[in-house]
Amino acid sequence: MTTTGAGTPQPSAEELRRRAVRQRQARRRTLVAGASSVVVLGALAALVVTSPGWPVVQETFFDWAYGREVLPAVFEGLLLNIRLTIIATVCIAVLGLGLALARTSTAAALAPLRILATVYVDLFRGVPTLLVILLVGFGVPALGLAGVTSSVVVLGTTAVILTYSAYVAEVLRSGILSVHPSQSAAARSLGLTAGQTLRHVVLPQGIRRVVPPLLNDFVSLLKDTGLISVLGVVDAIRAAQIESSRSFNYTPYVVAALLFLVLTIPLTRVTDRFMLRSIARQNAQVGV
Amino acid sequence: MSAAGPAAAGTTGPGTTTPVLAVDDVHKSFGTEQVLRGVSLAVPEHTVTVLIGASGSGKSTLLRCVNLLTRIDDGTIRLDGRDISDPEVDPDEVRRQIGMVFQSFNLFPHLRVLDNITLAPRRVHGVPRDRAEAAGLALLERFGLADKAQQYPDRLSGGQQQRVAIVRSLAVAPRLMLMDEVTSALDPVLVNEVLATVRELKGEGMTMVIATHEMGFASQVADEVCFLESGRILERGEPEQVLHDPHEPATRDFLRRVHEAGRL
């Protein structure tokens, strides 16, 4: 056995020299990137720490001893945010898909459904989420309808579901419309009905393409469940508010922010990875 | 296989057998552009009709009209004697009897090769999964594609993808196959493997209408060659005659240009 494999020729002297140069260039780039990061970030940190108000800010926002004290209460609130996010996601998936299918339908009999879905999407995409939460949370109980809950948790979550279904419906619709008509033509020419074509050919491809924006909406949803704290629901934000108003110290807000970040940063990283992969796949397909 | 029913008898006159496909004076416009201007065509069982003509002459539109993917403006199209241009006819039921292969393959990228092939048998014809897969594998085996059954389409060469597309159409045992420039997206080496597959179908007696720019291939498989120009069939006849001794100046001119492009 020789050390040279049959498929890997020895690099020439010139190639070895080029590799050495490239290695030197790479080292220099790493050094420059590191040095500039230290300088810029250091300057920013110095600016904050040496500012005249820093000692007061540190005391009222970054009191770590107090932060540890309120952590359990804020964490308890965050568990509610997580629970509501999971429930809402399921409802949004169903309602959003229904709306997207209604809007992309072409059958004559579905015309009223199409109009309703369009009006719905226009309405809930156009009104600020906070307003929807206030209107549903305070408006529905005021109607005094029998059998309708007056629980602010349920009403607030419903409002979030209503709003996000409109967003998700539009994302799904764009996915459905992005599938090339030749795919439908191929499916129909095999004898598949319009419904079968949608179910087995168009939807699987369309949904796959919009996974990154859907994940984006999921991260936003997680944060926006915090908006229902305006109805008095004790979630992470409300819990932080209660704690900080007891002590006139804002550290609980920072604690809540950090807890949200612990959840959202991994999610945004995953979204990023999905997006890059999906772009790479689409570029590869164009190359065929 | 469905045969022409008794109701169809007489539609083409006594003494003749009903052609599988009969296109009669079909017109089609897109906006102000007339794409088909009175095309008539009869394709008897077990024969191959080849459509030639420049891009835009109406070949693809004619095939899409036959498959009811495009609605005609006037004329009639009959499949086994039955008028399929009647709006009362269920287009899904008609398409089940017609296989179509496209220039751009149009395989379903999210499904493995075998699932591409078994989709229609399972969903449209209600064949149980195991039987559909066995039949699909047998077909792949026959066309030398058995080792690709579990691959996704984007891992296949263009020629392999097109052969899979042909197998996918065959899996529902169509009465008629339509091929729309099935080799136009392929490099010359891959063209041959696809053409060999089509020749094999011809050998098995499949009734086909083929639009192509491959004149050598046309002369091998065609029973009849039709030259289309501006939505009309200008010349038709045996391949030998149309391709080598055309009567019409326009046909001669077209073939000369094809020849110059090195495709004859």
Side-chain angles (χ1 to χ4, degrees):
Chain A
M1 277 282 166
T2 55
T3 45
T4 351
T8 52
Q10 270 311 331
S12 66
E14 176 60 13
E15 173 59 21
L16 287 174
R17 189 192 66 78
R18 285 195 293 246
R19 283 182 197 177
V21 171
R22 275 188 217 117
Q23 223 166 49
R24 255 202 319 281
Q25 287 170 334
R27 260 202 304 274
R28 196 177 317 142
R29 273 198 298 272
T30 316
L31 215 67
V32 170
S36 70
S37 304
V38 167
V39 169
V40 172
L41 297 180
L44 276 174
L47 189 73
V48 171
V49 176
T50 57
S51 65
W54 174 244
V56 180
V57 168
Q58 196 177 19
E59 204 174 297
T60 46
F61 283 86
F62 300 101
D63 182 347
W64 296 128
Y66 187 51
R68 257 197 301 278
E69 196 187 312
V70 301
L71 183 64
V74 178
F75 183 74
E76 184 89 3
L78 187 74
L79 288 181
L80 181 67
N81 290 98
I82 294 172
R83 269 206 303 277
L84 296 184
T85 303
I86 293 167
I87 295 165
T89 301
V90 176
C91 300
I92 291 164
V94 174
L95 188 54
L97 184 62
L99 286 165
L101 291 179
R103 286 206 73 189
T104 50
S105 68
T106 48
L110 297 180
L113 211 61
R114 227 169 6 251
I115 295 167
L116 278 178
T118 308
V119 170
Y120 178 97
V121 169
D122 282 353
L123 213 67
F124 282 97
R125 234 177 12 155
V127 179
T129 313
L130 189 54
L131 263 179
V132 177
I133 290 171
L134 290 172
L135 288 173
V136 173
F138 295 135
V140 172
L143 291 175
L145 293 169
V148 173
T149 178
S150 58
S151 149
V152 280
V153 179
V154 175
L155 289 172
T157 310
T158 305
V160 173
I161 291 169
L162 290 175
T163 301
Y164 268 78
S165 295
Y167 296 153
V168 167
E170 282 307 277
V171 172
L172 288 174
R173 187 169 79 109
S174 77
I176 291 169
L177 294 178
S178 76
V179 176
H180 197 272
S182 64
Q183 285 286 312
S184 293
R188 298 307 296 274
S189 77
L190 285 169
L192 271 72
T193 63
Q196 288 170 328
T197 300
L198 187 68
R199 159 80 182 78
H200 298 290
V201 175
V202 176
L203 269 187
Q205 294 183 56
I207 290 178
R208 221 162 290 196
R209 274 180 217 180
V210 293
V211 164
L214 286 177
L215 284 173
N216 251 329
D217 279 347
F218 181 73
V219 174
S220 301
L221 172 67
L222 177 61
K223 293 184 298 170
D224 280 357
T225 54
L227 288 175
I228 69 173
S229 59
V230 295
L231 298 178
V233 177
V234 184
D235 75 323
I237 295 176
R238 183 76 180 159
Q241 198 175 17
I242 292 168
E243 295 299 328
S244 66
S245 61
R246 271 198 312 139
S247 59
F248 301 105
N249 185 300
Y250 296 117
T251 306
Y253 286 129
V254 176
V255 170
L258 289 175
L259 286 179
F260 271 107
L261 281 175
V262 167
L263 291 175
T264 54
I265 287 180
L267 280 171
T268 49
R269 290 298 99 206
V270 169
T271 309
D272 231 36
R273 183 120 30 99
F274 262 104
M275 191 187 63
L276 291 176
R277 227 175 51 189
S278 129
I279 288 172
R281 195 163 342 118
Q282 267 163 30
N283 289 344
Q285 265 174 7
V286 170
V288 165
Chain B
M1 288 281 169
S2 64
T11 48
T12 52
T16 55
T17 44
T18 313
V20 173
L21 175 70
V23 174
D24 187 28
D25 198 27
V26 162
H27 290 257
K28 176 68 194 176
S29 302
F30 291 112
T32 56
E33 192 180 292
Q34 287 190 292
V35 184
L36 296 177
R37 302 194 280 186
V39 172
S40 297
L41 200 66
V43 185
E45 193 166 14
H46 308 310
T47 69
V48 174
T49 296
V50 168
L51 309 174
I52 61 169
S55 299
S57 59
K59 307 186 297 292
S60 295
T61 304
L62 180 57
L63 293 181
R64 292 179 66 91
C65 287
V66 169
N67 207 11
L68 307 183
L69 287 173
T70 301
R71 190 192 298 153
I72 59 175
D73 296 339
D74 207 352
T76 49
I77 300 175
R78 290 173 201 281
L79 188 67
D80 283 318
R82 183 169 69 126
D83 184 357
I84 58 170
S85 19
D86 187 329
E88 300 280 334
V89 165
D90 173 13
D92 293 328
E93 188 260 317
V94 171
R95 291 192 197 107
R96 273 169 221 164
Q97 303 175 49
I98 303 177
M100 180 145 182
V101 185
F102 301 84
Q103 179 177 344
S104 50
F105 326 140
N106 297 358
L107 292 178
F108 306 131
H110 63 297
L111 298 177
R112 292 168 199 272
V113 164
L114 189 57
D115 297 326
N116 260 278
I117 292 165
T118 57
L119 180 64
R122 287 177 56 202
R123 303 295 167 189
V124 180
H125 300 266
V127 180
R129 188 192 192 108
D130 51 340
R131 271 186 37 216
E133 292 195 339
L137 276 173
L139 270 177
L140 285 171
E141 182 87 43
R142 229 179 76 201
F143 291 97
L145 291 160
D147 56 325
K148 308 293 179 205
Q150 300 304 328
Q151 301 265 22
Y152 283 94
D154 62 358
R155 303 305 299 264
L156 272 54
S157 76
Q160 289 165 343
Q161 288 191 44
Q162 192 59 295
R163 282 154 62 207
V164 169
I166 293 172
V167 168
R168 183 174 69 176
S169 301
L170 283 177
V172 291
R175 180 89 178 112
L176 170 72
M177 284 276 270
L178 308 174
M179 304 218 172
D180 187 5
E181 296 189 21
V182 293
T183 59
S184 296
L186 300 173
D187 73 51
V189 178
L190 298 179
V191 164
N192 286 324
E193 62 177 69
V194 172
L195 295 185
T197 304
V198 181
R199 270 189 221 104
E200 205 176 318
L201 294 184
K202 155 88 176 169
E204 287 165 16
M206 177 62 75
T207 311
M208 293 186 276
V209 181
I210 301 173
T212 186
H213 290 301
E214 302 285 339
M215 298 305 154
F217 166 70
S219 68
Q220 288 167 14
V221 299
D223 294 290
E224 183 182 51
V225 173
C226 297
F227 170 65
L228 271 85
E229 199 197 58
S230 321
R232 285 199 185 89
I233 297 182
L234 266 195
E235 183 160 6
R236 68 176 81 207
E238 309 233 315
E240 197 58 24
Q241 183 261 309
V242 177
L243 295 173
H244 299 294
D245 183 23
H247 301 316
E248 296 291 329
T251 317
R252 264 201 295 275
D253 189 50
F254 171 72
L255 290 171
R256 187 180 48 77
R257 280 184 288 136
V258 171
H259 192 79
E260 280 166 8
R263 298 294 280 272
L264 195 63

